[in-house]
Amino acid sequence: MRDEGDKLVCEKSVMLKKGRIEVTLYILRSNWKRYKKNKAGVLGLFLVFFFIVVALGAPLISRVDPLRTMVGPPSVQPSLTYPMGTDDLGRDVFSGFVHGARISLFVGIMTALMSAGIGVALGAIAGYKGGKIDSAIMMITNMFLVVPSFFLCLVIVAVFGATIGNVIVVIAVLSWPSTARLIRADFMSLKETEFVEAARAIGASDLDIVLKEILPNALTSIIVNTSLLVANSILVMAGLDFLGLGDPNVPSWGKMLMNAQPFLRQSWWMALFPGIAILLTVMGYNLVGDGLNDLLNPRLKER
Amino acid sequence: MSRKGLLKQILFKCAFTLLTILIIVSVNFALIHLAPGSPVLMIAGEAAMSDPEYLIKMSKYYGLDKPIIEQYFLYLQRLFVGDLGYSWRYNERVAVLILERIPATLLLTVSAMVFAVFFGIFLGVYAARRPYSTVDNLVTTFVLTGYSIPIFWLGLMLILLFSVNLGLLPIGGMRTIGGNLTGFDYILDVLAHLLLPTVVLGTRTLALVARLTRANMLYVLGLDYIVTARSKGLSERRILFKHALKNAFLPVITIIGLQVPWILGGALLTETTFSWPGMGRLMYESLLTRDYPLIMGILVVTTIVVVAANLLVDIAYAFIDPRIRITNEG
Amino acid sequence: MTVSSEEPLLTIRELRTHFFTSQGIVRAVDGIDLRVDREQTVGLVGESGCGKSTVAMTIMKLIPMPGKVISGSIVFNGKDLLKLSEDETRRLRGRELAMVFQDPMTYLNPVMKVGDQISECVVLHQETPKKDAKKEAIKLLEKVGIPSASRVVDYYPHQLSGGMRQRVLIAMALSGNPLLLIADEPTTALDVTVQAQILKLIEGLKEDYHSSLLLITHDLGIVASMCDKVYVMYAGKIVEQGDVLDLFENPKHPYTSALISCSLSIDEYKKDLFAIGGTVPNLINPPSGCRFHPRCPEAKDICHIEEPQPVKIDGEHIVSCWLHMQKGG
């Protein structure tokens, strides 16, 4: 299958001899050894897991309701009781920090999955079929790339309401082009390979070929791209929240920043912590995406 | 052979651009009629809902009782003459409101782009000089932070540092209110106000440009003709900029083209953070008050601007790349 | 500060250039001595991968990563190049020391006009003001035999044929009036019909400019027709050296004889094509003792064990081979 550097998919003969689970474990273990060498990638992975843990364990980490006002005196500086201070209405910033992770991660991941789904589907069709279908899909992709998607996001959310569902769908629908392009390129090169020809010779159907032969090899690009999509979605959602277009009943980092703006001079902690949260989470996903990319698409790097 | 081939490409791109604009405009029209609530709301804006006479006047004017197809063509017709609707809240034509704000946004976005490209290329080149050195690692870290950071937060933090704590730069706006400055002083004043927003808006693009430039430079610096250049005894600077960069630079233009839509979206956030009196801030205000005609109008104008800018970048690319030019010359 | 014309122009001693790769240390140049006198044409000959290009790159101090000079000295025009700073080296490059490379397509900048690539040399080396540079470039193009030079000066490399591109490379190399011109396989990438023209051009220009020429090639025919002296290189070491006539009439090293037989079998009509058995040795783990021993038809026991030292046959003719050394000496 792929060149020596791409160990995510290993030889078919090995797969046939050992069991599927054993093979998967073997692949994961050998790839992890190589991934570990990339310090930045490891840091990214740590950040990603850190915030997943925070998001999942939020109610345990901070029992304070992030949205409840006057849990303490307003505008208190970070202290022992309030490690990240309180905002102008007495809300606990630390609680907001912790609980905000839930919505960010949820929206980020769901959006990324949906966007990847659309992107992979369209990219696969375009790359595999080629010809007029490809040109048509590419033209649509270029159109999406060219329009100001953030503005469109805003308008649609403003018009149709700022529910979580809407936000996820809108961001996903406007961010699939990058994935589609990548997958299309992958498919176009993969469909000329020998194992695809072999499968065709046996008489496998197009769908079979796409699902069983090409897709597993394109998996590396998909995973890398999805991580980057999560990062992007979190940023877009934070932007929407900052502009006041988020769901008002859910604690989010962007909204906290929106509240912090008028009090920047007096209560700097209101702005500092939610922003750091966004920065670190997004950084994490970007680092993982880059790290995976370096691992799975090796370039010449003689020192 | 060259002129025809190039011309054909350009015509095709123009057609594509027009088609995109038509689609966005149609999407806009669809939104008006698909939105929850009646189309009158979309045309008049939320604030106008308290004025029944106005609503009736608008319904008549926009022919809301006519068949959809007719409304569509009326809509296109109006757009063609520049009628973007009327804002009840501002009591002014949308087109006028937007035109007032365009210069400020233009100033900000162009500054940001220039800043990003200029410094991005420099950083990329100097990082590529000694790969994996301290400088290179610093640049890489900076690049990573640059495109992971939410720009409105970056704006707030910079304001905190430079305006609030250090008092070096103004907090917001485009000029000092009540300053009444003229000539050179006025320009300096605007520049002082422009500095932070430019940096904030340009950071992400700078990061991307730096990263791409570095990668391309590393690739090019390993090629044979660089060895020739070195064997001629040329200075390092000449080799980097005249030989390597010329080859590495081309994909950067594509990135610039792709970043234009992003920069406009980013301008919205930046203008909101810095109270910069541009189109983005107008959009924000209209979102707060659900002033739909204004919202839609800005969307249409922004899209047209972005799409047109992209077209220009594409054309420029075709002209600059001597290989494309030459293959067309045959 | 030039040295008198009696002294050699270039003296290389005990040069070792190794590449530190993830697979191991590639000993591309492993202890060679080489000398080029004033206005002399010296050939450096050997198979691909024997390290001869690395010698050239080392002299120019253009060794790519992960290569490094381990030891030795390169005394050029009275100065040890290996001890010079990067700035000093850069001042020499293109001027006293110039190089012509193998593949003129990849060694010319594709997005720069040919004339501009020459002009920048002219401005730098001849200190010509920019406005006159183009005229000088045209003159140089004419000198290397390019027709319609005033039009060609505005061409891009891909608009020229291989031979013309090579002439451009030669023009650039000569623009600084070099004392030593290094030509690394200058005709290998060219059509056979063009090869002779280019070689003749190089020879003629070398005379005109009173330069020395270090000609690196795998083609003995070229060496025979152009060089005064020749060094035969194998697996990072010089195995034989001497006057061209001496060496061709009287080859002492089995590798040299084999090389000569290889090329003669094309000139003379012979029934069997002569080929040297075996493959080019691995420079990370070279064979023990004499590096040629696995492929040598006359290898003796001692050849496996110990490396032969250079032995003078007569005058300039020196060989490193156990066949010509006293046993135990």
Side-chain angles (χ1 to χ4, degrees):
Chain A
M1 296 192 183
R2 285 269 205 114
D3 54 71
E4 273 94 315
D6 188 348
K7 285 225 173 106
L8 190 60
V9 188
C10 72
E11 293 178 28
K12 258 205 160 130
S13 56
V14 177
M15 282 182 95
L16 288 172
K17 281 188 211 150
K18 303 189 182 180
R20 271 254 145 114
I21 300 180
E22 287 178 349
V23 165
T24 318
L25 284 178
Y26 167 76
I27 296 175
L28 285 175
R29 227 177 300 139
S30 55
N31 279 302
W32 172 241
K33 267 208 200 124
R34 284 169 62 209
Y35 188 81
K36 255 201 303 197
K37 288 190 191 157
N38 182 347
K39 291 196 205 119
V42 172
L43 174 66
L45 209 55
F46 167 74
L47 286 172
V48 166
F49 275 117
F50 176 76
F51 279 100
I52 291 183
V53 164
V54 164
L56 290 175
L60 298 170
I61 301 175
S62 168
R63 289 166 204 262
V64 180
D65 182 351
L67 293 174
R68 209 172 110 210
T69 58
M70 300 307 281
V71 292
S75 307
V76 173
Q77 268 194 10
S79 59
L80 280 174
T81 12
Y82 303 105
M84 291 185 185
T86 61
D87 72 4
D88 59 306
L89 292 179
R91 286 178 286 224
D92 184 357
V93 175
F94 177 71
S95 179
F97 180 96
V98 160
H99 282 84
R102 310 191 106 194
I103 194 66
S104 296
L105 255 53
F106 180 72
V107 171
I109 295 177
M110 294 309 286
T111 309
L113 288 178
M114 192 168 163
S115 171
I118 304 175
V120 167
L122 286 175
I125 298 174
Y128 189 71
K129 291 284 179 180
K132 293 224 172 98
I133 299 184
D134 178 29
S135 306
I137 295 185
M138 270 298 105
M139 202 153 70
I140 299 178
T141 311
N142 284 331
M143 268 182 208
F144 271 87
L145 279 173
V146 158
V147 302
S149 46
F150 190 63
F151 270 80
L152 256 181
C153 255
L154 288 176
V155 173
I156 296 181
V157 169
V159 168
F160 289 100
T163 63
I164 305 281
N166 279 352
V167 169
I168 293 180
V169 168
V170 164
I171 302 180
V173 164
L174 290 171
S175 63
W176 61 261
S178 65
T179 316
R181 262 195 179 176
L182 230 72
I183 300 302
R184 170 182 174 267
D186 268 359
F187 267 68
M188 272 170 55
S189 63
L190 282 171
K191 76 174 178 186
E192 307 292 335
T193 52
E194 292 157 356
F195 51 90
V196 168
E197 282 188 29
R200 247 188 236 132
I202 303 178
S205 69
D206 274 345
L207 191 63
D208 264 348
I209 294 180
V210 164
L211 286 179
K212 294 203 193 133
E213 305 286 339
I214 304 186
L215 206 56
N217 283 294
L219 209 60
T220 70
S221 310
I222 299 177
I223 296 179
V224 168
N225 197 256
T226 306
S227 190
L228 298 174
L229 276 176
V230 175
N232 187 56
S233 307
I234 295 180
L235 279 178
V236 172
M237 196 199 90
L240 288 176
D241 287 340
F242 179 73
L243 294 173
L245 286 168
D247 190 328
N249 300 316
V250 173
S252 73
W253 292 327
K255 206 148 50 88
M256 289 170 73
L257 283 175
M258 176 180 79
N259 293 332
Q261 192 174 9
F263 302 100
L264 194 57
R265 190 193 290 270
Q266 306 93 308
S267 316
W268 50 267
W269 53 91
M270 283 173 71
L272 180 70
F273 295 109
I276 288 188
I278 302 175
L279 174 63
L280 290 178
T281 315
V282 171
M283 239 183 178
Y285 283 95
N286 276 328
L287 279 172
V288 167
D290 283 345
L292 283 175
N293 196 27
D294 281 345
L295 173 76
L296 301 166
N297 299 321
R299 279 161 287 145
L300 300 162
K301 242 186 188 184
E302 280 287 9
R303 295 209 192 180
Chain B
M1 179 109 59
S2 79
R3 290 298 157 81
K4 258 201 208 157
L6 203 59
L7 204 63
K8 228 173 134 187
Q9 268 186 4
I10 294 180
L11 279 175
F12 181 74
K13 287 193 211 288
C14 284
F16 172 77
T17 305
L18 285 170
L19 183 62
T20 311
I21 294 179
L22 183 63
I23 291 184
I24 282 295
V25 157
S26 309
V27 164
N28 205 14
F29 180 77
L31 278 177
I32 295 176
H33 290 268
L34 287 174
S38 75
V40 189
L41 175 65
M42 294 292 127
I43 293 171
E46 216 165 65
M49 294 311 268
S50 54
D51 189 343
E53 282 178 13
Y54 181 77
L55 293 179
I56 296 174
K57 205 168 64 165
M58 284 294 120
S59 291
K60 275 230 188 86
Y61 180 69
Y62 282 84
L64 285 181
D65 46 343
K66 298 209 181 107
I68 277 270
I69 301 284
E70 214 181 311
Q71 287 190 47
Y72 181 61
F73 281 104
L74 281 176
Y75 168 75
L76 287 178
Q77 212 175 19
R78 278 195 302 271
L79 276 182
F80 202 68
V81 294
D83 177 2
L84 289 164
Y86 195 84
S87 164
W88 186 91
R89 201 170 155 271
Y90 283 95
N91 201 18
E92 179 59 86
R93 292 201 326 270
V94 167
V96 169
L97 287 169
I98 295 179
L99 269 163
E100 276 175 1
R101 304 283 196 124
I102 283 190
T105 302
L106 213 60
L107 177 64
L108 177 60
T109 47
V110 169
S111 309
M113 194 60 110
V114 167
F115 163 77
V117 170
F118 187 73
F119 284 100
I121 290 184
F122 257 94
L123 275 182
V125 167
Y126 278 101
R129 278 183 91 204
R130 307 208 190 298
Y132 309 114
S133 66
T134 335
V135 169
D136 189 26
N137 286 330
L138 276 173
V139 169
T140 310
T141 314
F142 170 77
V143 160
L144 173 75
T145 315
Y147 73 83
S148 306
I149 206 167
I151 63 176
F152 41 94
W153 183 71
L154 176 64
L156 291 178
M157 291 294 110
L158 287 181
I159 291 178
L160 196 59
L161 179 62
F162 287 103
S163 310
V164 173
N165 285 339
L166 294 179
L168 282 176
L169 292 164
I171 289 187
M174 194 159 107
R175 57 199 96 135
T176 317
I177 305 172
N180 277 330
L181 301 161
T182 50
F184 195 60
D185 287 330
Y186 175 71
I187 294 180
L188 275 180
D189 187 41
V190 172
L191 283 178
H193 283 85
L194 185 60
L195 182 63
L196 282 182
T198 303
V199 169
V200 165
L201 183 55
T203 295
R204 191 186 162 98
T205 307
L206 193 159
L208 288 174
V209 168
R211 189 161 87 143
L212 188 63
T213 305
R214 174 187 175 277
N216 286 342
M217 285 293 284
L218 280 180
Y219 167 70
V220 168
L221 286 174
L223 293 179
D224 287 338
Y225 53 85
I226 299 294
V227 178
T228 309
R230 293 230 166 89
S231 80
K232 295 200 280 196
L234 298 175
S235 70
E236 192 71 24
R237 178 183 295 159
R238 199 182 166 94
I239 294 178
L240 283 176
F241 290 100
K242 273 266 158 104
H243 284 259
L245 189 58
K246 247 193 186 181
N247 281 281
F249 170 76
L250 230 34
V252 176
I253 299 192
T254 321
I255 284 278
I256 295 176
L258 285 173
Q259 283 291 105
V260 171
W262 188 89
I263 284 218
L264 240 79
L268 198 159
L269 292 166
T270 314
E271 288 180 16
T272 308
T273 313
F274 286 93
S275 308
W276 185 265
M279 219 160 54
R281 188 166 167 85
L282 183 63
M283 179 67 145
Y284 173 62
E285 287 162 10
S286 57
L287 279 170
L288 282 180
T289 57
R290 296 297 196 269
D291 194 342
Y292 290 112
L294 195 49
I295 294 177
M296 303 295 205
I298 296 180
L299 177 65
V300 168
V301 169
T302 315
T303 308
I304 294 180
V305 166
V306 167
V307 166
N310 204 38
L311 176 68
L312 287 173
V313 170
D314 267 352
I315 295 180
Y317 187 90
F319 271 106
I320 292 182
D321 189 347
R323 272 171 286 192
I324 293 183
R325 212 177 355 136
I326 289 162
T327 24
N328 282 333
E329 278 163 22
Chain C
M1 223 204 51
T2 39
V3 185
S4 80
S5 359
E6 303 304 320
E7 301 263 334
L9 178 62
L10 176 74
T11 313
I12 303 180
R13 267 195 249 278
E14 287 284 310
L15 182 66
R16 286 191 165 77
T17 304
H18 293 175
F19 289 81
F20 296 84
T21 69
S22 52
Q23 261 97 334
I25 305 179
V26 179
R27 295 164 225 272
V29 177
D30 211 13
I32 67 161
D33 294 339
L34 191 145
R35 200 183 84 229
V36 178
D37 291 330
R38 311 244 160 205
E39 302 200 40
Q40 193 188 38
T41 303
V42 170
L44 180 58
V45 103
E47 292 171 308
S48 326
C50 71
K52 37 191 215 295
S53 287
T54 309
V55 173
M57 298 300 263
T58 309
I59 299 174
M60 297 289 286
K61 291 179 78 179
L62 286 176
I63 313 155
M65 289 280 272
K68 226 179 147 193
V69 177
I70 304 296
S71 65
S73 70
I74 303 179
V75 178
F76 174 73
N77 207 15
K79 294 177 261 194
D80 186 351
L81 295 181
L82 297 176
K83 292 205 168 73
L84 290 180
S85 70
E86 182 59 29
D87 271 340
E88 292 167 323
T89 314
R90 208 180 308 130
R91 253 172 274 146
L92 274 184
R93 285 197 201 116
R95 273 189 251 241
E96 284 108 322
L97 196 54
M99 189 155 166
V100 175
F101 295 91
Q102 176 173 334
D103 185 352
M105 187 62 239
T106 58
Y107 278 92
L108 282 174
N109 193 331
V111 298
M112 229 173 136
K113 287 188 199 161
V114 147
D116 290 337
Q117 298 191 47
I118 300 182
S119 295
E120 64 181 352
C121 288
V122 160
V123 166
L124 184 64
H125 304 318
Q126 294 177 12
E127 272 150 48
T128 317
K130 278 205 191 147
K131 54 187 174 67
D132 300 325
K134 193 165 179 178
K135 262 188 280 162
E136 285 299 316
I138 297 178
K139 271 199 231 159
L140 270 169
L141 284 175
E142 285 169 351
K143 202 159 193 175
V144 293
I146 289 184
S148 319
S150 45
R151 261 193 295 141
V152 171
V153 83
D154 284 322
Y155 282 7
Y156 288 91
H158 68 271
Q159 293 171 281
L160 299 173
S161 70
M164 302 245 273
R165 283 181 230 139
Q166 192 60 293
R167 290 174 198 264
V168 170
L169 274 184
I170 295 171
M172 294 195 308
L174 290 169
S175 62
N177 257 311
L179 289 173
L180 174 64
L181 178 65
I182 306 177
D184 186 0
E185 310 254 21
T187 54
T188 307
L190 302 173
D191 286 334
V192 177
T193 45
V194 176
Q195 281 184 16
Q197 287 175 10
I198 297 294
L199 289 171
K200 237 180 149 179
L201 175 69
I202 295 179
E203 200 172 33
L205 288 170
K206 176 226 165 206
E207 298 289 324
D208 283 345
Y209 281 81
H210 302 286
S211 324
S212 303
L213 174 64
L214 176 59
L215 184 55
I216 298 176
T217 176
H218 61 270
D219 186 337
L220 277 181
I222 296 178
V223 171
S225 58
M226 284 188 66
C227 301
D228 307 316
K229 185 170 172 196
V230 65
Y231 289 79
V232 179
M233 194 165 171
Y234 184 81
K237 291 193 174 288
I238 303 283
V239 296
E240 191 168 358
Q241 54 179 274
D243 258 9
V244 161
L245 287 170
D246 249 345
L247 208 99
F248 275 91
E249 279 172 15
N250 219 353
K252 294 292 178 196
H253 196 285
Y255 179 56
T256 316
S257 318
L259 278 182
I260 296 173
S261 308
C262 280
S263 52
L264 282 180
S265 61
I266 298 171
D267 270 356
E268 296 179 7
Y269 183 63
K270 264 202 176 161
K271 291 241 168 65
D272 311 308
L273 270 180
F274 185 93
I276 310 177
T279 49
V280 176
N282 182 332
L283 289 172
I284 298 177
N285 278 318
S288 57
C290 169
R291 295 185 178 188
F292 187 58
H293 84 253
R295 305 166 77 182
C296 183
E298 299 174 55
K300 301 189 286 188
D301 285 335
I302 192 165
C303 301
H304 297 250
I305 304 167
E306 223 184 295
E307 255 189 65
Q309 293 303 310
V311 159
K312 204 175 213 185
I313 304 291
D314 84 85
E316 296 284 326
H317 197 162
I318 302 175
V319 72
S320 300
C321 178
W322 283 113
L323 292 173
H324 303 279
M325 277 179 79
Q326 266 76 348
K327 276 222 186 75

